[in-house]
Amino acid sequence: MLLISLSSDTIISDSLSCPPNMANYMGQMAIAMNKLSTVEGFVRQADNLRHQTIHRLHQFLTTRQAARCLLAIAEYFHRLRALSSLWLARPRQE
C-alpha cells in the first residue's frame, strides 16, 4: 500500500508569512511537486493495470461472465456520470 502525505505544511508554512523565505518556500514546493509526481505515477500504473485487465477479460472469464462484467462497468460509469452531474449542479454556498 502506498501512502503519501500531502499536508498543507508542505506548501504553506508559518515562515512564509513574514518575512518571506524564498529558499524555504522553493524547497517545500520541490517536495510537494515530488509527492504529486509520485501520486501521478501511481495513478498511471493503476490506470494501465485497469486497461490491461479489461483487454484480457476473455482469457480468464467465460463469455457470459465477460458480458456481465462489461455491463456492470457500463452501469458503474453511468452512475458515476450522473453523480458528477449532480455534484456540478449542487447549490453553492458563498
Side-chain angles (χ1 to χ4, degrees):
M1 178 182 222
L2 176 64
L3 295 175
I4 298 174
S5 169
L6 290 175
S7 69
S8 60
D9 295 336
T10 303
I11 298 172
I12 300 171
S13 72
D14 293 336
S15 64
L16 294 176
S17 55
C18 70
N21 184 340
M22 189 54 79
N24 188 29
Y25 171 79
M26 294 303 286
Q28 289 183 354
M29 189 58 74
I31 291 169
M33 293 301 289
N34 275 340
K35 288 182 180 184
L36 286 173
S37 178
T38 302
V39 170
E40 180 186 15
F42 179 74
V43 170
R44 285 184 190 275
Q45 287 178 356
D47 191 49
N48 187 34
L49 180 60
R50 178 199 56 83
H51 186 73
Q52 289 176 12
T53 302
I54 288 173
H55 283 284
R56 296 181 64 200
L57 282 177
H58 69 281
Q59 293 177 349
F60 49 86
L61 295 178
T62 66
T63 302
R64 182 177 175 89
Q65 289 172 329
R68 291 183 70 181
C69 178
L70 292 173
L71 286 172
I73 291 169
E75 177 67 18
Y76 167 77
F77 280 112
H78 174 73
R79 290 176 183 226
L80 188 60
R81 280 191 297 274
L83 182 61
S84 179
S85 296
L86 287 172
W87 179 257
L88 291 173
R90 76 188 186 285
R92 309 218 181 207
Q93 295 177 344
E94 292 186 27

